[in-house]
Amino acid sequence: MYAKNDPRASLAAAASGPVRTGLIAEPQVGDFERSPPTEDRDGVKSWHIRGANSVLVWSRCAPGATLVRTGQVDEYVAILPAARADIRAGADRAVTDPNTIAMIPPGASAITLPDGGDVCRLFTTRSADMLALCPNAGAYDAPRTHIPPFAPWSEPAGGLKLRTYSIDVPAQEGRFGRIFRCTTFMVNMLYPSDGPRDTTKMSPHHHDDFEQFSLAISGGYDHHMRWPWTTDMADWRPDRTITVGAPSVCVIPPPVIHTSRASDAGTNQLVDIFCPPRADFSAKPGWVLNADDYPAPEGV
């Protein structure tokens, strides 16, 4: 349910299918300021949390700290909202300003933060070492059969290599946020807002078969959720609101109806993350800012 001026109102409606049961799933929540790090070494404190297909790692780095990957199995993402970085991947190198997103290829890589700061990294669950560090690693032991297993999207033109993009992109009428994708993830850097969200302009909606990571990088949020009434009462749950500060993440399961309200009096910013990329967003001309580098699979 979107307002008429919300760009998502133009998305094609999903085809209706048979009502499925056995969909009950709890959201996963990481409120990093209010919980101890899952890893603390070499000048880096990190918090890990998993979804069905992916692992999010929020790291707070001392000046000069380096995040190293060896034998990385697939492409991963680094979001640097407020820190400079020196990124190396194989023979590739990029020195980036704050407000950058990086797509980092498999193999060996390293992210050094000369001034320190925060970085968010996104891995698929194929990165077994990252998955093992998640306090909620067993949350998906009961299979979520309505979420398709992960499959990577098409490799980029010119093959997998280090690619970095500035997030300083002006808003454009009809485009939703600032969307970037790679073979493993889609990231929407939503524009920051000042003050609490207008309660008369909410956007409750649901996804049938994929999770949404809602990452708060500034401010505070109330994540409102409503579980659908299927024909099986075991799926039913009372409405729930999860209140978090920043940095934090809420992993919203399908097909839960959800909407998030910015609650802080200052600046609020949310990042939406999907693994693998969303086909509906990818089908909208001009929405994915690096679409030329990462073509969508045939038929999307």
Side-chain angles (χ1 to χ4, degrees):
M1 184 184 302
Y2 301 115
K4 291 181 180 180
N5 62 346
D6 189 317
R8 291 171 294 177
S10 65
L11 293 171
S16 60
V19 175
R20 293 175 294 172
T21 58
L23 302 179
I24 184 60
E26 295 296 326
Q28 307 298 310
V29 182
D31 197 345
F32 308 138
E33 290 289 355
R34 301 180 187 178
S35 59
T38 48
E39 191 175 42
D40 186 353
R41 62 186 179 91
D42 302 327
V44 179
K45 294 181 179 181
S46 294
W47 292 260
H48 298 68
I49 185 169
R50 72 163 297 184
N53 294 324
S54 55
V55 175
L56 182 148
V57 185
W58 184 275
S59 297
R60 181 151 293 164
C61 303
T66 299
L67 303 167
V68 176
R69 296 297 293 163
T70 57
Q72 174 63 31
V73 295
D74 53 11
E75 193 172 32
Y76 73 101
V77 178
I79 304 170
L80 296 139
R84 295 191 306 122
D86 185 345
I87 307 173
R88 299 173 187 263
D92 299 332
R93 180 185 182 189
V95 177
T96 68
D97 292 324
N99 223 14
T100 291
I101 185 169
M103 313 307 186
I104 304 174
S109 59
I111 304 171
T112 300
L113 276 64
D115 309 317
D118 292 347
V119 56
C120 176
R121 289 173 294 162
L122 307 173
F123 301 92
T124 72
T125 51
R126 294 182 63 201
S127 292
D129 61 325
M130 292 299 187
L131 181 60
L133 289 167
C134 296
N136 68 330
Y140 294 78
D141 289 349
R144 308 283 175 85
T145 56
H146 53 298
I147 301 177
F150 171 77
W153 275 32
S154 307
E155 285 200 6
L160 293 169
K161 62 182 180 180
L162 176 62
R163 289 177 165 85
T164 63
Y165 305 95
S166 172
I167 303 167
D168 289 325
V169 179
Q172 180 177 311
E173 183 73 24
R175 194 188 71 223
F176 182 53
R178 295 164 290 184
I179 301 174
F180 301 87
R181 70 172 179 237
C182 64
T183 61
T184 49
F185 286 91
M186 172 176 280
V187 178
N188 189 1
M189 304 292 300
L190 298 170
Y191 287 97
S193 60
D194 292 325
R197 184 176 183 179
D198 186 341
T199 57
T200 68
K201 296 180 179 179
M202 305 304 291
S203 55
H205 63 284
H206 78 282
H207 313 299
D208 286 329
D209 56 5
F210 60 85
E211 291 180 323
Q212 175 175 310
F213 276 58
S214 287
L215 170 67
I217 60 175
S218 64
Y221 283 86
D222 296 325
H223 300 294
H224 301 283
M225 282 170 275
R226 170 167 288 181
W227 276 254
W229 284 12
T230 72
T231 56
D232 184 349
M233 287 184 69
D235 291 332
W236 299 9
R237 288 290 186 275
D239 292 353
R240 186 172 176 185
T241 296
I242 295 174
T243 298
V244 290
S248 67
V249 67
C250 183
V251 186
I252 300 169
V256 171
I257 300 166
H258 59 279
T259 187
S260 295
R261 180 177 183 261
S263 58
D264 196 86
T267 299
N268 301 276
Q269 187 172 5
L270 203 62
V271 181
D272 287 343
I273 299 163
F274 308 95
C275 178
R278 288 179 62 161
D280 57 350
F281 281 7
S282 294
K284 298 292 292 183
W287 277 30
V288 179
L289 298 174
N290 64 338
D292 289 345
D293 288 341
Y294 287 91
E298 190 172 342
V300 172

